[in-house]
Amino acid sequence: MKSDPPEGQPFGRYRLLDCIGEGGMAIVYRAVTEGPQGFLRELVVKRIRADLSRDDSFISMLLAEARLCALLKHPGIVQVHELGEVEGEYFIAMEYVRGRDLVALLRELAPTGVVPPGVGAYIGREVCRALGYAHALSDDSGSPLRLIHRDVSPSNVMLGYDGS
């Protein structure tokens, strides 16, 4: 039985389903891409905000982010699938993590304000492992890339329903 593709706003070869986050530089959408015989893949599309989409400095930052993220291959780091452009607007297509961010968990726990110690320790350990990997990354000749994540915040920590 074939199901109808989800509704959404067309954007190049993607269909933007809903906005799942917004920052100072970009808007993040849950999206799908479709292929032959009912193939459907869910992912995330990060677009530069419309008011910044013609600003060369923001475009350069997005391009640099995409190039660096493409080097990162770690289970605790969202994978970048594509850097692209649609009608002059740059975007990054990334892995979709089925889950929620740390902000949502903290809001849910707000009545007590207590994160169970084992959960907090697990999240902290996994974030440190991912950051440690990124910070220690080197190029093909062994020279350190000296990457530093400049926005480690609860809204940027994704918690997968599968424990990732």
Side-chain angles (χ1 to χ4, degrees), residues 17 20 30-32 40-44 78 95-101 158-164:
L17 302 178
I20 58 174
R30 185 173 63 91
V32 293
L40 197 70
R41 182 176 185 130
E42 194 171 17
L43 45 84
V44 166
V78 170
E95 169 187 8
Y96 174 68
V97 176
R98 193 169 301 282
R100 57 186 174 168
D101 64 24
M158 292 302 302
L159 307 171
Y161 292 137
D162 62 358
S164 60

Side-chain angles (χ1 to χ4, degrees), residues 71-72 133-147:
L71 300 173
L72 303 172
Y133 164 83
H135 293 172
L137 194 65
S138 58
D139 65 17
D140 291 338
S141 65
S143 298
L145 292 177
R146 304 189 196 290
L147 299 180

Side-chain angles (χ1 to χ4, degrees), residues 47-148:
R47 296 169 66 176
I48 293 180
R49 295 173 58 92
D51 57 321
L52 303 172
S53 65
R54 304 288 180 233
D55 185 323
D56 288 341
S57 64
F58 283 98
I59 292 170
S60 293
M61 282 193 289
L62 184 81
L63 297 175
E65 175 186 339
R67 283 191 293 270
L68 287 174
C69 289
L71 300 173
L72 303 172
K73 293 171 182 60
H74 185 275
I77 298 174
V78 170
Q79 295 297 292
V80 169
H81 297 303
E82 176 185 10
L83 168 64
E85 180 183 2
V86 173
E87 297 178 11
E89 185 178 345
Y90 289 96
F91 69 91
I92 300 173
M94 300 178 288
E95 169 187 8
Y96 174 68
V97 176
R98 193 169 301 282
R100 57 186 174 168
D101 64 24
L102 184 53
V103 169
L105 175 64
L106 295 174
R107 279 191 192 122
E108 184 178 316
L109 297 173
T112 63
V114 177
V115 176
V119 173
Y122 176 77
I123 293 169
R125 181 188 70 191
E126 295 305 307
V127 169
C128 287
R129 283 181 172 171
L131 289 170
Y133 164 83
H135 293 172
L137 194 65
S138 58
D139 65 17
D140 291 338
S141 65
S143 298
L145 292 177
R146 304 189 196 290
L147 299 180
I148 297 178

